[in-house]
């Protein structure tokens, strides 16, 4: 039986159900409304297609599809779409971008063959569109292809040479491009690799004392790549090479003394000039103190750098990055060179001067030898701008003023007569007054030591020789010592040889008829 309470509960549930149904029925018409079609806007199809303009042109569709495939790494699909665009729509405004994108697809794919194909595509783009802004980008990509394939300085250097040439062409052909600063930095790094290669070869020649080859290689680096990170060490090696030439001349005893002195002076002047170059051009470099020490040891003046040179070299040294442990570790793994020490300031060399070769250095040495021999001949004219000066009393003889031979004169004996004893007197250098006291040079490193008077005292007559007491008189025989000591006789007596312990094969062989005796 239903009670009143049960009826009230059922009535409440029914009311709630009816309310939900009513709300659902009211929402159905709102969702069932149809969408109003949008009116199509008037679009200018002649506008820039790269300005995010929605276009249904077939060439635009092909270009967008190729860009999506290129972004996802599907290079074959991208190149197929781009080539279709180039062949089907020759008048399309996407021709230039499509041609450049073909080269980009090969460039991103990587590998030797792909990079070679990319270089050809970029060169074609520059040929067809030389005035386009993207031509500078294409030329930069060509240089980057060679830069990416560069080897270490002690390996093949052809890619480095091509990269240097490509970066120079890019800077000269497109000076107003925004890529010029990056191209200059890449050129500095490339020249760092080429300079390192020539420097290593020059050091090898110097270690083998091949001075002509060492000077030729190092002089080429010094003239071509002044921003090289080890230029101070390079000039120091050049100076040491000229010093080695001077030592070789000093060791050649077959040369006349005047010739050796002149050649030695010429080579030492060249060495001093090389050491001075470090102080004047690279005053903030690590090896500048070594150059000062060498000049002081040679008793040569030490030049002082200008403030502009100090500021310039300081900026170069601060722009270089230090070589870290990770750089050295990665340098052992990757095939590319280590270029962190390249300068980031300064103008790279845009026009390479002529190379210095070893035959030219050898020819120069031959000319120096010939001029030294001509100047050493008697009656030869003095060098231009130089006059022969007399040799001082305490100075060694000069090559242009050879010292006269020593002269011997009679020295009177103690009795005042002329006598027969002969003495020698020291003759001063030629053209020097014998009575004049030589003036000492206040700047000389070695001071003169000894008395100032060079006159020798008068020689005394020699004393009479004492009589000899061991002479044997004529008509007599020397006495023989018959009493020899016993131990002396014993020492002279030889012990008898015992042949019993020796084998029969060591005995003396029989001769003649004794060979027939079996015993």
């Amino acid at each position: 039986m239903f009670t009143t309470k049960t009826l009230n509960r059922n009535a409440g549930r029914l009311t709630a159900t009816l309310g939900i149904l009513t709300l659902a029925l009211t929402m159905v018409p709102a969702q069932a409304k149809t969408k109003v079609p949008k009116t199509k806007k008037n679009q200018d199809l002649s506008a820039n297609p790269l300005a995010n303009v929605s276009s249904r042109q077939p060439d635009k569709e092909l270009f967008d599809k190729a860009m999506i495939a290129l972004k996802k790494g599907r290079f074959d699909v991208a190149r197929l779409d781009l080539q279709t665009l180039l062949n089907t729509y020759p008048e399309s405004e996407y021709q230039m971008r499509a041609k450049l994108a073909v080269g980009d697809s090969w460039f991103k794919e990587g590998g030797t063959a792909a990079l070679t194909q990319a270089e050809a595509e970029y060169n074609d783009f520059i040929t067809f569109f030389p005035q386009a802004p993207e031509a500078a980008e294409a030329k930069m990509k060509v240089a980057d292809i060679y830069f990416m394939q560069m080897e270490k300085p002690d390996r093949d250097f052809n890619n480095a040479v091509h990269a240097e040439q490509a970066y120079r062409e890019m800077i000269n052909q497109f000076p107003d491009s925004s890529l010029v600063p990056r191209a200059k930095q890449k050129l500095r790094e490339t020249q760092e690799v080429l300079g390192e290669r020539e420097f290593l070869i020059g050091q090898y020649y110097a270690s083998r004392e091949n001075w002509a080859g060492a000077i030729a290689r190092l002089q080429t680096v010094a003239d071509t790549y002044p921003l090289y990170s080890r230029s101070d060490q390079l000039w120091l090696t050049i100076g040491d090479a000229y010093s080695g030439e001077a030592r070789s001349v000093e060791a050649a005893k077959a040369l006349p003394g005047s010739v050796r002195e002149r050649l030695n002076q010429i080579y030492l002047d060249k060495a001093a000039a090389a050491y001075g170059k470090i102080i004047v051009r690279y005053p903030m470099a690590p090896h500048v103190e070594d150059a000062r020490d060498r000049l002081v040891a040679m008793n040569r003046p030490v030049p002082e750098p200008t403030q502009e040179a100090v500021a310039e070299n300081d900026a170069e040294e601060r722009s270089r990055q230090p070589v870290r442990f990770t750089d050295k570790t990665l340098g052992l793994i990757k095939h590319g060179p280590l270029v962190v020490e390249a300068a980031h300031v300064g103008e790279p060399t845009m026009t390479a001067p002529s190379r210095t070769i070893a035959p030219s250095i050898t020819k120069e040495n031959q000319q120096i030898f010939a001029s030294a021999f001509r100047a050493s001949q008697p009656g030869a004219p003095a060098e231009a701008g130089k006059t022969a000066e007399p040799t001082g009393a305490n100075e060694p003889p000069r090559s242009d003023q050879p010292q006269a031979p020593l002269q011997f004169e009679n020295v009177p004996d103690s009795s005042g007569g002329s006598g027969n004893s002969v003495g020698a007197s020291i003759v001063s250098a030629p053209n020097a007054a014998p009575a004049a006291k030589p003036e000492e040079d206040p700047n000389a490193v070695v001071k003169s030591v000894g008395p100032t008077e060079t006159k020798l005292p008068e020689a005394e007559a020699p004393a009479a020789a004492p009589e000899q007491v061991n002479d044997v008189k004529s008509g007599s025989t020397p006495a023989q010592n018959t009493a020899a000591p016993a131990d002396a006789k014993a020492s002279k007596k030889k012990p008898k040889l015992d042949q019993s312990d020796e084998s029969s094969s060591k005995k003396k062989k029989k001769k003649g008829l004794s060979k027939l005796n079996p015993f």
Side-chain angles (χ1 to χ4, degrees), residues 236 239-240 243 268-280 288-304 445:
L236 196 69
D240 293 343
S243 299
L268 290 181
D269 290 343
K270 290 180 176 292
Y275 297 143
K277 182 70 174 180
I278 303 175
I279 303 174
V280 174
V288 66
E289 293 300 328
D290 297 335
R292 293 180 184 273
D293 295 341
R294 282 169 169 78
L295 287 175
V296 172
M298 295 169 61
N299 197 19
R300 297 300 180 96
V302 180
E304 291 296 332
V445 178

Side-chain angles (χ1 to χ4, degrees), residues 97-119:
R97 295 299 303 174
K99 187 68 176 176
L100 186 62
V102 172
D104 293 340
S105 66
W106 289 111
F107 184 84
K108 293 181 179 180
E109 184 174 350
T112 304
L115 291 177
T116 304
Q117 191 67 29
E119 179 188 356

Side-chain angles (χ1 to χ4, degrees), residues 164-210:
E164 180 186 24
Q165 182 180 0
Y167 284 126
R168 285 174 175 173
E169 292 177 356
M170 186 268 168
I171 297 172
N172 292 328
Q173 293 179 7
F174 309 98
D176 299 331
S177 175
S178 59
L179 298 174
V180 169
R182 179 176 175 272
K184 287 185 177 182
Q185 181 56 35
K186 288 292 184 180
L187 182 57
R188 296 188 196 99
E189 296 176 0
T190 305
Q191 293 179 350
E192 177 76 12
V193 176
L194 293 173
E196 180 71 12
R197 174 183 177 273
E198 296 288 337
F199 176 70
L200 292 177
I201 297 175
Q203 274 195 327
Y204 173 79
Y205 285 143
S207 65
R208 297 298 185 271
E209 296 186 359
N210 185 352

Side-chain angles (χ1 to χ4, degrees), residues 221-242:
V221 182
D223 297 338
T224 310
Y225 310 119
L227 296 178
Y228 175 53
S229 60
R230 301 167 69 180
S231 294
D232 55 333
Q233 188 176 356
L234 180 145
W235 279 105
L236 196 69
T237 310
I238 293 177
D240 293 343
Y242 281 119

Side-chain angles (χ1 to χ4, degrees), residues 131 186 258-259 323 343 345 369 458:
Q131 303 299 329
K186 288 292 184 180
S258 58
V259 176
V323 181
V345 297
F369 270 74
E458 296 182 356

